[in-house]
Amino acid sequence: MNIEPVSFFDWANDHGASIWKAIAKNFSNLDGFGPNGPVPLTRAYRTVPENRIDLLISPVQLGFISGLILLMFLKHKIGLWREEHNHLKFSSATADIRRIIYTLFTFLEFLLLSPVLIIIALFFKLYRNGVGIVLRQRHGKHFKGLLDGADVVWAIEDQNSRGMINILAYIEQPLLDHNTAISADILLTLRKRISSRLMRQYQPHPKMFWKRCLELGYYFWSDQSQLTIEDYIRYLDIIPLNGVNYYIEESQLRALLSAINNRNLPANHSSSWEVLVGRQPLLNKRNQMLQYPIVFRVHHSLGDGVALMRLLLESIADKELPTRWKHLSKLKLLNINYILKQNTKDYRIYRPKLYFTRLVKRLPSISDIVEQVQRLKRIVLTIYTAPAFFLDVFRRKVDNNCIHSTEMTDKKIVSWIHEENIQTSNEATMIDIIKRTKRRLPGTRFSDVFLTALSASLEQYFSTRSEHPPKSITVVLPARIEQEPPHLKLQNRFSVALQTLPIECGIDLEDTFRHKHIRNRILAVKRYADVLRSSSDYMINYWIISKMTCLFPEAMLRKILKSAHSTLAISNLPGPQQLPRIQGRELKNLSFFIPNLGTTAVGVTLLTYGGKMQLGILADQVVIGTEQEAHSILQGTIHELKKMGNLLAEI
């Protein structure tokens, strides 16, 4: 019997089988399969099986398949590299040349105007110094200096938008161990601790107890405050309840915070902080705990979010060591560091002074020189690109959507979501979902994933308010420029920048290409973030806020700082992972709300606290009318993050 010379691929194509199925069939049935396909068995002829791959596929075909697999592997690796180094991408050569010419011409124009600008800056600098001398003569030792640049930014406020940060936290108590005097105990504890730690003869942070005053067009600090600890720490307002109910609902607490978050601080709003302790608890039915609210209201001119969070935890939280141990450690006879130091002095070996060695040590190292060169390059680049930045901001289009407004009222809407109250035992945390999603896309940041989820929630909210949601909005992203020092300093060391946030639909779990769509959405947000981080926007704004704003009088500065471009402000603050305690009770569910600045009527906050995500929103009532509407934006963000978790489970 003759075997027709049919190639393997022709045989597989005729029988409608794939190459891999044919190969599997060959190895599973060696007796009835020849080198080029199936062979009928007869008594006179029987094929001899051979386990050789070269009899199945020719060298040319094997090389083609290997090359195809290698090409797919390289394409995958190149794609990952592009995503990871997306910030190194350059636009077209024509666009680059236009940008270079545009930046150069704006810088040349700035050089022509620089003599006039320098004269104006020097004039207001001298005028400010003169005002400081007059105020010092007028108030004497009570004058504590003019406000710094960043502090002045938040001192410029009106009755519709006061620059205060509101912080909400809970003190929990088991329902079975209910003690009606717990709120009084918390109130007395806070008063004693702040009095002993911050109001003693040597005050570590005297700025806390100074007054903000305005005279001759400039804000200054004064210590002529008659407030006592009872004025700073008081009870929270009582919420009217029915005769049957003893516990308040979270919706009632939201309404109360919405009413008081823009209220004046003590001493006709000249003080900088207050603490309000709630007497009416919330009932957490999931774990049978009573939650007593504590509200910390701090003026932003006192410090930025990081400094205020440290102040809160260091001033009221339990210390790691008992107080009596700290007093004992101050005694020389019981201080182990003092004893070791004295013993070292007794056995010290004196060596001749090596002046040359000391001189060499004083010389800067190569790494220090490189760091200084890089710092100088950043300064030069910032100065060079600053004129183009100002023109870009001036030419930027103003947002047009239903939550953007040019005028605000004094009525605010507050809402929040604590992850602990919505998470089940078998669900992954929101922070874990964001981190795992971030790892799937190299080069992506934590904020990129969160902004993508917020974008989907805003798209859903816009769809309910109007038929045509905006394609994008402008958001304000604060960032801390300087690192936090080891010792707490109450100061504002932040900067802001504007970033475009694309508004797109959320994840559709029924969509076949859902993984591709969410990937493209995150990368779209990342591209705008990369452009912002590669620019000098943060440094330019920081120089303006910290160095220039304090030069001008209040009336001029109010007009200079007014901006109508942005719709939303977003603040992401990392909190402590270990929960602080007050009298042994954990301070739970910490969340904060940033003030409205200018015409930015909505602020969204994200705080990672104790490994959980705490979301908050503060909006002007002119753009968001009810707490339910504000709450729906936060709920939509959480829902989108949970969908991301479902996609991760499919991988």
Side-chain angles (χ1 to χ4, degrees), residues 200-220:
R200 56 182 184 266
Q201 185 175 2
Y202 168 72
Q203 296 180 352
H205 308 294
K207 185 179 177 182
M208 286 183 60
F209 308 99
W210 292 345
K211 294 172 54 179
R212 286 185 321 280
C213 304
L214 176 63
E215 290 185 20
L216 302 179
Y218 287 88
Y219 286 94
F220 66 96

Short mmCIF file of all heavy atoms in Angstrom, two decimals, residues 200-220:
data_model
loop_
_atom_site.label_atom_id
_atom_site.label_comp_id
_atom_site.label_asym_id
_atom_site.label_seq_id
_atom_site.Cartn_x
_atom_site.Cartn_y
_atom_site.Cartn_z
N ARG A 200 1.47 75.09 79.26
CA ARG A 200 2.31 75.34 80.43
C ARG A 200 3.15 76.59 80.21
O ARG A 200 3.03 77.27 79.19
CB ARG A 200 3.19 74.13 80.70
CG ARG A 200 4.07 73.70 79.54
CD ARG A 200 4.87 72.46 79.91
NE ARG A 200 5.80 72.07 78.87
CZ ARG A 200 5.54 71.19 77.92
NH1 ARG A 200 4.35 70.61 77.88
NH2 ARG A 200 6.45 70.88 77.01
N GLN A 201 4.02 76.88 81.18
CA GLN A 201 4.81 78.11 81.10
C GLN A 201 5.66 78.14 79.84
O GLN A 201 5.77 79.17 79.18
CB GLN A 201 5.69 78.25 82.34
CG GLN A 201 6.45 79.57 82.40
CD GLN A 201 7.22 79.72 83.69
OE1 GLN A 201 7.22 78.82 84.53
NE2 GLN A 201 7.89 80.85 83.86
N TYR A 202 6.27 76.99 79.52
CA TYR A 202 6.99 76.90 78.25
C TYR A 202 6.07 76.22 77.25
O TYR A 202 5.77 75.04 77.36
CB TYR A 202 8.28 76.10 78.40
CG TYR A 202 8.89 75.73 77.06
CD1 TYR A 202 9.51 76.70 76.27
CD2 TYR A 202 8.82 74.43 76.58
CE1 TYR A 202 10.05 76.38 75.05
CE2 TYR A 202 9.37 74.10 75.35
CZ TYR A 202 9.98 75.08 74.59
OH TYR A 202 10.49 74.76 73.37
N GLN A 203 5.58 76.98 76.29
CA GLN A 203 4.65 76.45 75.31
C GLN A 203 5.42 75.95 74.09
O GLN A 203 6.12 76.74 73.43
CB GLN A 203 3.65 77.53 74.88
CG GLN A 203 2.75 78.01 76.00
CD GLN A 203 1.77 79.07 75.53
OE1 GLN A 203 1.86 79.56 74.41
NE2 GLN A 203 0.84 79.44 76.39
N PRO A 204 5.31 74.66 73.76
CA PRO A 204 6.03 74.15 72.59
C PRO A 204 5.49 74.70 71.27
O PRO A 204 6.22 74.82 70.30
CB PRO A 204 5.83 72.63 72.69
CG PRO A 204 4.60 72.46 73.50
CD PRO A 204 4.57 73.60 74.46
N HIS A 205 4.19 75.05 71.26
CA HIS A 205 3.58 75.59 70.04
C HIS A 205 2.74 76.81 70.41
O HIS A 205 1.50 76.75 70.43
CB HIS A 205 2.71 74.53 69.36
CG HIS A 205 3.41 73.22 69.13
ND1 HIS A 205 4.47 73.09 68.26
CD2 HIS A 205 3.21 71.99 69.68
CE1 HIS A 205 4.89 71.84 68.27
NE2 HIS A 205 4.15 71.16 69.12
N PRO A 206 3.38 77.93 70.70
CA PRO A 206 2.61 79.12 71.12
C PRO A 206 1.69 79.65 70.03
O PRO A 206 0.72 80.37 70.32
CB PRO A 206 3.70 80.13 71.48
CG PRO A 206 4.90 79.69 70.70
CD PRO A 206 4.83 78.20 70.65
N LYS A 207 1.98 79.32 68.78
CA LYS A 207 1.15 79.80 67.68
C LYS A 207 -0.31 79.35 67.82
O LYS A 207 -1.22 80.01 67.32
CB LYS A 207 1.74 79.28 66.36
CG LYS A 207 1.08 79.78 65.10
CD LYS A 207 1.79 79.20 63.88
CE LYS A 207 1.11 79.63 62.60
NZ LYS A 207 1.76 79.03 61.40
N MET A 208 -0.53 78.23 68.52
CA MET A 208 -1.88 77.73 68.72
C MET A 208 -2.77 78.71 69.46
O MET A 208 -3.99 78.75 69.25
CB MET A 208 -1.85 76.41 69.50
CG MET A 208 -1.38 75.21 68.73
SD MET A 208 -1.49 73.73 69.75
CE MET A 208 -3.24 73.68 70.10
N PHE A 209 -2.19 79.51 70.34
CA PHE A 209 -2.97 80.37 71.23
C PHE A 209 -2.87 81.84 70.85
O PHE A 209 -3.30 82.70 71.61
CB PHE A 209 -2.51 80.15 72.67
CG PHE A 209 -2.51 78.69 73.07
CD1 PHE A 209 -1.33 77.95 73.06
CD2 PHE A 209 -3.69 78.05 73.39
CE1 PHE A 209 -1.32 76.61 73.41
CE2 PHE A 209 -3.69 76.71 73.74
CZ PHE A 209 -2.51 75.99 73.75
N TRP A 210 -2.31 82.14 69.69
CA TRP A 210 -2.27 83.51 69.21
C TRP A 210 -3.55 83.85 68.46
O TRP A 210 -4.29 82.96 68.02
CB TRP A 210 -1.07 83.71 68.29
CG TRP A 210 0.26 83.64 68.98
CD1 TRP A 210 0.48 83.69 70.33
CD2 TRP A 210 1.53 83.48 68.37
NE1 TRP A 210 1.82 83.59 70.59
CE2 TRP A 210 2.50 83.46 69.41
CE3 TRP A 210 1.97 83.37 67.06
CZ2 TRP A 210 3.86 83.33 69.15
CZ3 TRP A 210 3.33 83.24 66.80
CH2 TRP A 210 4.26 83.22 67.84
N LYS A 211 -3.78 85.12 68.30
CA LYS A 211 -4.93 85.62 67.55
C LYS A 211 -4.48 86.13 66.18
O LYS A 211 -3.40 86.68 66.04
CB LYS A 211 -5.60 86.77 68.32
CG LYS A 211 -6.26 86.39 69.62
CD LYS A 211 -6.72 87.63 70.37
CE LYS A 211 -7.60 88.52 69.53
NZ LYS A 211 -8.08 89.70 70.28
N ARG A 212 -5.34 85.91 65.19
CA ARG A 212 -5.12 86.51 63.87
C ARG A 212 -5.78 87.88 63.84
O ARG A 212 -6.97 88.01 64.10
CB ARG A 212 -5.72 85.64 62.76
CG ARG A 212 -4.97 84.39 62.44
CD ARG A 212 -5.57 83.69 61.24
NE ARG A 212 -7.03 83.74 61.24
CZ ARG A 212 -7.82 82.95 61.96
NH1 ARG A 212 -7.27 82.03 62.74
NH2 ARG A 212 -9.13 83.06 61.89
N CYS A 213 -5.00 88.88 63.51
CA CYS A 213 -5.52 90.25 63.47
C CYS A 213 -5.19 90.87 62.12
O CYS A 213 -4.23 90.46 61.45
CB CYS A 213 -4.92 91.10 64.60
SG CYS A 213 -5.18 90.41 66.26
N LEU A 214 -5.97 91.85 61.74
CA LEU A 214 -5.79 92.54 60.47
C LEU A 214 -5.77 94.04 60.72
O LEU A 214 -6.74 94.62 61.21
CB LEU A 214 -6.92 92.19 59.50
CG LEU A 214 -6.91 92.91 58.15
CD1 LEU A 214 -5.66 92.57 57.35
CD2 LEU A 214 -8.17 92.57 57.34
N GLU A 215 -4.63 94.65 60.42
CA GLU A 215 -4.48 96.11 60.52
C GLU A 215 -3.57 96.60 59.41
O GLU A 215 -2.61 95.91 59.03
CB GLU A 215 -3.90 96.52 61.89
CG GLU A 215 -4.84 96.32 63.06
CD GLU A 215 -4.26 96.86 64.35
OE1 GLU A 215 -3.34 97.70 64.28
OE2 GLU A 215 -4.71 96.44 65.44
N LEU A 216 -3.89 97.77 58.89
CA LEU A 216 -3.09 98.41 57.84
C LEU A 216 -2.93 97.51 56.61
O LEU A 216 -1.94 97.59 55.88
CB LEU A 216 -1.70 98.80 58.38
CG LEU A 216 -1.69 99.74 59.59
CD1 LEU A 216 -0.26 100.01 60.03
CD2 LEU A 216 -2.42 101.04 59.27
N GLY A 217 -3.91 96.63 56.40
CA GLY A 217 -3.91 95.79 55.20
C GLY A 217 -3.12 94.50 55.32
O GLY A 217 -3.04 93.75 54.35
N TYR A 218 -2.55 94.19 56.50
CA TYR A 218 -1.73 92.99 56.66
C TYR A 218 -2.19 92.21 57.90
O TYR A 218 -2.56 92.80 58.92
CB TYR A 218 -0.25 93.34 56.79
CG TYR A 218 0.38 93.80 55.50
CD1 TYR A 218 0.34 95.13 55.11
CD2 TYR A 218 1.01 92.89 54.65
CE1 TYR A 218 0.91 95.56 53.92
CE2 TYR A 218 1.58 93.30 53.45
CZ TYR A 218 1.52 94.64 53.09
OH TYR A 218 2.08 95.05 51.91
N TYR A 219 -2.12 90.88 57.78
CA TYR A 219 -2.45 90.00 58.90
C TYR A 219 -1.22 89.81 59.77
O TYR A 219 -0.10 89.67 59.27
CB TYR A 219 -2.93 88.64 58.39
CG TYR A 219 -4.33 88.65 57.81
CD1 TYR A 219 -4.54 88.81 56.45
CD2 TYR A 219 -5.44 88.50 58.64
CE1 TYR A 219 -5.81 88.83 55.91
CE2 TYR A 219 -6.73 88.51 58.11
CZ TYR A 219 -6.90 88.68 56.75
OH TYR A 219 -8.18 88.69 56.23
N PHE A 220 -1.44 89.77 61.09
CA PHE A 220 -0.35 89.54 62.02
C PHE A 220 -0.87 88.73 63.21
O PHE A 220 -2.08 88.62 63.44
CB PHE A 220 0.26 90.86 62.50
CG PHE A 220 -0.66 91.71 63.33
CD1 PHE A 220 -0.61 91.67 64.72
CD2 PHE A 220 -1.57 92.57 62.74
CE1 PHE A 220 -1.45 92.45 65.49
CE2 PHE A 220 -2.42 93.35 63.50
CZ PHE A 220 -2.37 93.29 64.88
#
